[in-house]
Amino acid sequence: MSSLTELKLVIAKKPTQLSPVIQRRNKLIKRLWEQIQLAKAQQSGSVFAPAKLRSYTDSETGLRKQIEVPKRIKPWHFTADNGKLCVQVRYGSAVLELAKGKSAVELANADQLIPTLEAIKAAVSAGEIDAQIEAAAMKLKSGFTK
């Protein structure tokens, strides 16, 4: 019992769901993690292809089944007209503006790709670009209304 007296005990209730801001932030962090793994695989010469579940209807039995298929991940980095490597951050199909009128990060060489993606991931975790994520989410959401 003496061990519990040394701890700070409080009344706390676990939230039933995450706020939309946290959900969007976690979604973008997951995509950034995929981009980091893709860049690491490209540097080492291997292939990064995580699996996803795909549902289909079996033509013989008519039952719905699920199979694992490789997930296609499109790289967010590209070579610009000036020959420099650039990285754009995407939320769905929208490209996020990281600063006013600027949507890409220019890199001197490919070795800076992974540290840059990790720095962007840290900025997203800290909530530095929540406003841009919110704007992109609302723009994407408006495309689904009738």
Side-chain angles (χ1 to χ4, degrees):
M1 192 67 165
S2 64
S3 299
L4 286 178
T5 57
E6 296 174 8
L7 301 175
K8 180 180 178 182
L9 300 176
V10 296
I11 298 173
K13 183 178 176 186
K14 184 178 177 182
T16 56
Q17 64 182 17
L18 296 174
S19 70
V21 173
I22 302 296
Q23 288 176 351
R24 290 184 191 110
R25 196 182 296 167
N26 289 343
K27 178 182 175 182
L28 185 56
I29 288 171
K30 180 181 174 187
R31 300 293 182 253
L32 282 164
W33 177 83
E34 289 175 348
Q35 290 297 316
I36 292 169
Q37 297 306 313
L38 180 66
K40 286 180 181 178
Q42 287 176 346
Q43 277 187 349
S44 66
S46 61
V47 176
F48 175 67
K52 69 175 183 177
L53 292 176
R54 180 172 177 171
S55 298
Y56 72 99
T57 304
D58 189 9
S59 59
E60 296 175 7
T61 62
L63 299 174
R64 301 274 301 161
K65 294 186 178 181
Q66 289 186 335
I67 58 170
E68 280 192 6
V69 295
K71 182 178 178 181
R72 184 181 71 175
I73 300 175
K74 295 179 183 178
W76 291 352
H77 57 278
F78 59 93
T79 304
D81 295 336
N82 61 1
K84 302 271 185 168
L85 189 65
C86 292
V87 177
Q88 288 183 329
V89 179
R90 296 182 164 271
Y91 186 83
S93 61
V95 176
L96 296 181
E97 266 192 9
L98 301 174
K100 184 73 172 172
K102 298 179 182 176
S103 62
V105 178
E106 185 178 89
L107 308 173
N109 56 24
D111 295 334
Q112 293 178 338
L113 180 60
I114 294 172
T116 302
L117 287 171
E118 289 173 348
I120 294 170
K121 183 179 170 186
V124 171
S125 296
E128 294 178 21
I129 59 172
D130 282 345
Q132 291 93 326
I133 296 171
E134 177 76 21
M138 291 303 133
K139 182 179 177 186
L140 291 171
K141 188 186 279 188
S142 69
F144 289 103
T145 58
K146 291 183 181 181

